[in-house]
Amino acid sequence: MELHVTRWKRYGHDRLYANLPDGTAVGWADVTTGDITVLRAERRDDVIAVLTRHLQNLTGPVPPDRAPEAQARPMPPPLTPADDLAVTPPGQSLRDLLDESSPELMERVVSRLLRRPSEWDSWRKGLAGERRVGAEVNRLERHGWRVLHSSFLANKVDVDHLLIGFGGVFSINTKHHHKRTVWVGDDSVRVDHGKPAPYARKSRAEAKRVARVLERYCDFPVPVDPVLVFVGVTELKVVATQLDVRVYQERQVSALAPLSGVLTADQVEQVYSVARHRQAWSQA
C-alpha cells in the first residue's frame, strides 16, 4: 500500500508525515534534524524508505547517526485520584479563588452600590461563563470526544477547557461579556468598541504551551488549536484574516463535533491519559 507524504509546519516544527491513503499517519520526520519516528511498527521499512527519500530531496543525505527509531519519552508518575483532572468540573480554578478570597458581605454590598468593579465580581462572572461553556463542551462526549476542565499550567495559568478527539486537540478559552458587542480581529478583541484586548494572541500562546506539554510525553506530533468562546454577547463580529484561532459563541461549540482525521483512536487515548494527569502540566 503506497504511503503519501505531506509537509506540516506549525508551532516552530517542520515535519514530513507518511500517511496511509485514508490519512492515518504511520510515521513522521523532522526536516531540521532528520530524525524519523515510526508510529506503526508493521510499516517501519516503508516509512523509513519514503521519508528518507523525501528528506534527501529537501535537505540532502540524512546523516548515518540519525537513528530512525522513536526516541524515548518521559512518563508521568502513576495516576492517583488526587491528580486525575477527569473529575474536575468546569470553572474549578475560579471556584477555588472565590472560596479563598471571597470578600465580606458588606464589602460586596458597598462595591455594588458604588458600581465599583471588583476582582471578586470578575471571577464570579468568569465562573458562570466557564460553567455555561463547560456544559456545551460536555455534550461533545456523545460524539467520542474527551473533555477536561481547569487544567493548570505554570504561573497559575489555567486552560478553561480541553477537547481531545479524532479532530485533534482544542484549547478553549472562555470570555463572558454579558449583553455586550464583541469585535474580533487578528490579534485583538474590542468589547463595546473599548480598548483592544489581546485575547487572540494569548489563546495562541496558550495552545502552544499545551502542545509542548503533550508532545513531551507523546511520541507523535499533537496539533493543538486555540478556540475563543464568547458567552452572553448580543453580537459577535469576526473580521480576522488569520485562521489559527476559532471564534464561537457558546452554542456554536457543537461545530467541532464532526471534525476528524487528525488523531487515531490510540493517539486520542494516549493524549487523554497525559492531559488528565495534573503532574504532567507542572512542566508547562
Side-chain angles (χ1 to χ4, degrees), residues 103-178:
E104 297 295 332
L105 176 61
M106 184 56 67
E107 182 180 347
R108 298 203 302 269
V109 171
V110 170
S111 294
R112 289 178 182 176
L113 288 174
L114 297 177
R115 295 183 178 180
R116 184 174 60 198
S118 68
E119 191 173 47
W120 189 86
D121 287 325
S122 176
W123 292 340
R124 184 171 54 84
K125 186 170 69 172
L127 174 60
E130 288 191 29
R131 284 176 170 172
R132 286 173 62 174
V133 175
E136 296 295 327
V137 173
N138 285 343
R139 290 190 178 95
L140 299 183
E141 291 181 328
R142 70 185 69 169
H143 299 283
W145 290 86
R146 299 299 194 116
V147 179
L148 295 168
H149 307 286
S150 294
S151 303
F152 261 107
L153 300 171
N155 300 321
K156 297 183 178 180
V157 175
D158 76 312
V159 180
D160 295 342
H161 316 280
L162 202 62
L163 190 62
I164 303 166
F166 297 125
V169 180
F170 296 91
S171 172
I172 301 176
N173 200 324
T174 299
K175 299 297 178 185
H176 191 178
H177 293 292
H178 186 60

Side-chain angles (χ1 to χ4, degrees), residues 24-95:
T24 302
V26 292
W28 59 274
D30 188 305
V31 173
T32 303
T33 66
D35 292 330
I36 296 176
T37 298
V38 178
L39 302 177
R40 294 285 185 89
E42 68 273 15
R43 301 305 301 266
R44 180 181 182 278
D45 292 343
D46 294 337
V47 168
I48 293 174
V50 71
L51 290 177
T52 299
R53 184 168 67 252
H54 278 75
L55 282 170
Q56 289 173 342
N57 292 336
L58 289 173
T59 62
V62 178
D65 58 341
R66 301 295 189 187
E69 302 294 340
Q71 299 181 1
R73 300 279 175 164
M75 293 292 293
L79 185 65
T80 65
D83 287 324
D84 192 354
L85 294 174
V87 298
T88 303
Q92 184 60 52
S93 58
L94 288 174
R95 179 73 267 172

Side-chain angles (χ1 to χ4, degrees), residues 82-275:
D83 287 324
D84 192 354
L85 294 174
V87 298
T88 303
Q92 184 60 52
S93 58
L94 288 174
R95 179 73 267 172
D96 292 342
L97 284 173
L98 288 167
D99 291 342
E100 295 169 4
S101 308
S102 178
E104 297 295 332
L105 176 61
M106 184 56 67
E107 182 180 347
R108 298 203 302 269
V109 171
V110 170
S111 294
R112 289 178 182 176
L113 288 174
L114 297 177
R115 295 183 178 180
R116 184 174 60 198
S118 68
E119 191 173 47
W120 189 86
D121 287 325
S122 176
W123 292 340
R124 184 171 54 84
K125 186 170 69 172
L127 174 60
E130 288 191 29
R131 284 176 170 172
R132 286 173 62 174
V133 175
E136 296 295 327
V137 173
N138 285 343
R139 290 190 178 95
L140 299 183
E141 291 181 328
R142 70 185 69 169
H143 299 283
W145 290 86
R146 299 299 194 116
V147 179
L148 295 168
H149 307 286
S150 294
S151 303
F152 261 107
L153 300 171
N155 300 321
K156 297 183 178 180
V157 175
D158 76 312
V159 180
D160 295 342
H161 316 280
L162 202 62
L163 190 62
I164 303 166
F166 297 125
V169 180
F170 296 91
S171 172
I172 301 176
N173 200 324
T174 299
K175 299 297 178 185
H176 191 178
H177 293 292
H178 186 60
K179 293 184 178 180
R180 303 291 185 88
T181 61
V182 175
W183 177 95
V184 181
D186 284 337
D187 291 305
S188 65
V189 173
R190 293 181 185 271
V191 179
D192 284 347
H193 308 289
K195 294 181 179 179
Y199 293 164
R201 176 169 53 81
K202 288 186 175 181
S203 291
R204 285 195 292 269
E206 179 181 280
K208 289 179 181 179
R209 292 179 68 182
V210 171
R212 285 198 297 269
V213 171
L214 299 178
E215 291 189 346
R216 171 179 170 82
Y217 296 99
C218 297
D219 57 358
F220 51 88
V222 183
V224 179
D225 292 332
V227 179
L228 272 173
V229 180
F230 291 94
V231 179
V233 301
T234 56
E235 182 182 2
L236 177 62
K237 185 175 183 180
V238 181
V239 298
T241 58
Q242 51 77 25
L243 300 175
D244 58 347
V245 179
R246 295 172 181 262
V247 182
Y248 301 121
Q249 295 188 50
E250 67 263 36
R251 290 298 179 90
Q252 297 172 333
V253 173
S254 59
L256 297 170
L259 299 182
S260 62
V262 177
L263 298 177
T264 66
D266 289 343
Q267 289 171 340
V268 168
E269 291 307 313
Q270 187 173 342
V271 171
Y272 180 66
S273 68
V274 171

